[in-house]
Amino acid sequence: MKKKHRHKKKPSFTKKWSAKLHLWLGLSVGIVVFIVSLTGTMYVFKDEIQNQLRKDAIYIKAETVTQKPLSIEVLKEKVSLELNEKYPISSVEIPLDKNKSYEFLYYEKDKKAWNYFDEVKINKLIYVNQYTGEILGVYNEKYDLFPILKSIHWSLLLKSDWGKYVVGIPVVLFIIMLITGIILWWPKNKKSAKGRFWFKWENVKTWKRKNYDLHQILGFYASFIALLMGISGIYFSYPWVKNIFNYTLSGSLELPKEKEIKSPDSLLSKNNSVFDLAAQETRILYPVSSSFRIPLNGKNKKGKELQNIPVTIYDEDGKFAIRSQVAFDKYSGKVLFNKPHQQLNSAEKYANANYDIHTGSYFGLIGKIIWFIAGLICTSLPITGFLVWWGKKNKKGKKI
């Protein structure tokens, strides 16, 4: 008698098309996913690495610390004279820790450029001892590893305004790949679920099977963090993604627009200590914050003239989620408005936190470690996925 052959059940319509989408999208954008995942993973511990490498510039010698730092204008002038750059100093970041140095930043962009190196005219960070005026370190951030990694991750070294879409499209497709991957992984029953959660390689000898398990099992564990990374990534790229978040969190498509209050004391002669007055008042208003940033060139990010002096206060070192803002009259230094983090609506709070969520820093050091591991797995998925496809394509005929 002939033995009855058990025919395998045909995959469902959903799994069939999930498999096709997963394959087609993987082959089409796999190389971009690999580059974006690798650079993002390398960027995760940027602060920890830089804090160690720049320790001597960040921290001031105890014997030089005095009660009162030098005027910001005096320090600004000293930096300008020593570096002799053709561009003005953009801003200064002032830590509330007296043992940490001030950070003066030169930053200028060329709107007509098409790539990162032409777009960034200058990006220099200068660490200054605020008590003596001594320059402790000058770092050309334009050619530093981490800003370059960030640019590759953000725009593949293309101009940031439109390069983000070049990366954004593959990231959207990657999100679809993650969803289809979860559908393909999902077991039919408890019995088939046993081999889906961990590796069982006792009797497995072929590299193809091991590679398949690496792709499937590691991909499943990383997929949920990867979805969070992907969605928080396209939040930066596409206004419609922001609008969805804004409407979901606060019932409005757009974030509340702050009307920039024009300095009312414009008829008065400018107080030369206006930046020091702003810094002094900020310290009083936010005594337990980490640091605050003051723009010094009178321009906003888009290059337009500022109507006042907007000071951004950061609650925690290395995080942007909890931010407050105070605006000062640019002639007299009087407080025009004070908006602490607690007064922001849910959409505004998320907008501030999105970067930290994307990098894992929102969840502290443990979050960064988890994001780093998930990033490594995401970097491996295009490789193991390609090898799965290659292995099936070059499958040898079964012996009779």
Side-chain angles (χ1 to χ4, degrees):
M1 284 179 72
K2 290 183 179 179
K3 287 183 180 178
K4 287 183 180 179
H5 293 283
R6 287 185 181 178
H7 294 286
K8 284 184 179 179
K9 269 189 176 182
K10 287 185 178 180
S12 65
F13 176 84
T14 306
K15 286 212 171 190
K16 181 183 175 183
W17 279 100
S18 292
K20 287 180 183 292
L21 273 174
H22 197 76
L23 173 63
W24 295 337
L25 297 180
L27 291 174
S28 59
V29 298
I31 186 66
V32 178
V33 171
F34 173 81
I35 293 168
V36 171
S37 298
L38 180 62
T39 50
T41 304
M42 292 171 72
Y43 191 83
V44 168
F45 289 108
K46 170 210 164 221
D47 291 334
E48 287 77 7
I49 294 167
Q50 281 193 341
N51 287 346
Q52 282 301 311
L53 294 176
R54 300 179 180 183
K55 193 162 53 176
D56 293 338
I58 293 170
Y59 291 95
I60 296 166
K61 289 178 181 177
E63 59 268 23
T64 66
V65 178
T66 58
Q67 280 296 107
K68 196 175 178 182
L70 296 172
S71 163
I72 293 171
E73 278 291 348
V74 169
L75 295 169
K76 178 186 168 187
E77 194 65 30
K78 184 172 176 59
V79 171
S80 298
L81 287 170
E82 269 200 54
L83 270 76
N84 195 28
E85 294 287 351
K86 62 179 180 180
Y87 303 104
I89 295 171
S90 308
S91 64
V92 60
E93 185 160 341
I94 299 173
L96 267 76
D97 184 345
K98 290 183 177 182
N99 297 305
K100 283 186 174 182
S101 57
Y102 283 14
E103 297 176 19
F104 286 86
L105 176 69
Y106 283 96
Y107 191 79
E108 200 79 30
K109 287 172 79 173
D110 181 0
K111 293 178 181 178
K112 296 178 182 178
W114 66 271
N115 65 76
Y116 164 78
F117 293 104
D118 290 337
E119 182 184 21
V120 179
K121 291 179 179 179
I122 188 170
N123 184 9
K124 276 188 180 178
L125 192 60
I126 298 92
Y127 294 87
V128 180
N129 184 325
Q130 62 268 33
Y131 305 103
T132 65
E134 181 191 357
I135 292 177
L136 303 174
V138 178
Y139 294 90
N140 194 345
E141 300 279 274
K142 178 178 177 177
Y143 299 106
D144 191 71
L145 174 64
F146 289 108
I148 291 171
L149 284 174
K150 186 179 179 180
S151 179
I152 296 170
H153 183 78
W154 173 263
S155 62
L156 297 180
L157 288 179
L158 300 169
K159 185 180 179 180
S160 57
D161 286 349
W162 53 267
K164 62 184 179 182
Y165 298 113
V166 176
V167 170
I169 293 166
V171 172
V172 171
L173 299 179
F174 179 58
I175 290 168
I176 297 169
M177 286 165 62
L178 290 168
I179 295 166
T180 54
I182 292 167
I183 292 168
L184 292 170
W185 174 91
W186 207 264
K188 293 177 185 177
N189 48 53
K190 287 183 180 180
K191 191 178 180 181
S192 59
K194 288 180 181 179
R196 302 282 176 102
F197 288 100
W198 200 243
F199 308 101
K200 291 187 176 181
W201 287 348
E202 293 85 359
N203 300 315
V204 176
K205 294 179 181 178
T206 63
W207 69 267
K208 288 181 183 179
R209 179 65 202 186
K210 288 181 179 180
N211 177 72
Y212 178 79
D213 285 349
L214 283 169
H215 186 75
Q216 182 183 232
I217 296 169
L218 292 181
F220 169 74
Y221 284 117
S223 58
F224 300 100
I225 299 296
L227 279 169
L228 198 54
M229 289 177 182
I231 293 166
S232 59
I234 60 172
Y235 180 93
F236 292 119
S237 299
Y238 299 109
W240 60 268
V241 177
K242 280 187 182 180
N243 292 343
I244 291 170
F245 271 85
N246 294 341
Y247 189 78
T248 304
L249 294 169
S250 298
S252 174
L253 289 174
E254 292 188 0
L255 295 172
K257 287 184 179 178
E258 290 290 343
K259 286 185 179 179
E260 196 177 0
I261 303 170
K262 189 176 180 180
S263 290
D265 295 334
S266 57
L267 297 175
L268 299 176
S269 57
K270 188 174 180 179
N271 189 328
N272 290 329
S273 301
V274 66
F275 293 126
D276 295 300
L277 290 170
Q280 186 181 346
E281 188 63 29
T282 303
R283 286 190 185 98
I284 295 167
L285 290 169
Y286 295 92
V288 293
S289 60
S290 168
S291 64
F292 55 91
R293 183 181 290 269
I294 304 175
L296 299 178
N297 62 353
K299 292 180 181 179
N300 63 16
K301 288 180 180 179
K302 293 180 180 178
K304 288 185 178 180
E305 187 182 349
L306 289 166
Q307 299 295 311
N308 50 53
I309 302 172
V311 177
T312 306
I313 300 99
Y314 304 102
D315 193 69
E316 271 188 82
D317 192 28
K319 289 186 180 182
F320 301 95
I322 302 176
R323 271 183 277 179
S324 305
Q325 194 158 41
V326 185
F328 296 89
D329 188 288
K330 64 181 180 180
Y331 299 98
S332 65
K334 291 178 185 176
V335 177
L336 299 179
F337 76 82
N338 175 21
K339 193 170 184 181
H341 170 78
Q342 292 78 9
Q343 289 181 11
L344 303 178
N345 66 34
S346 299
E348 290 175 301
K349 286 178 180 177
Y350 181 82
N352 287 347
N354 188 69
Y355 176 86
D356 292 344
I357 291 168
H358 187 65
T359 59
S361 60
Y362 186 84
F363 308 99
L365 183 60
I366 291 171
K368 283 193 170 190
I369 293 167
I370 293 169
W371 258 240
F372 181 79
I373 294 167
L376 285 177
I377 293 170
C378 288
T379 305
S380 75
L381 290 177
I383 300 167
T384 54
F386 176 80
L387 290 173
V388 169
W389 171 77
W390 186 260
K392 285 182 179 178
K393 191 182 176 186
N394 296 282
K395 197 174 183 181
K396 293 177 182 178
K398 290 180 180 180
K399 290 181 181 179
I400 300 169

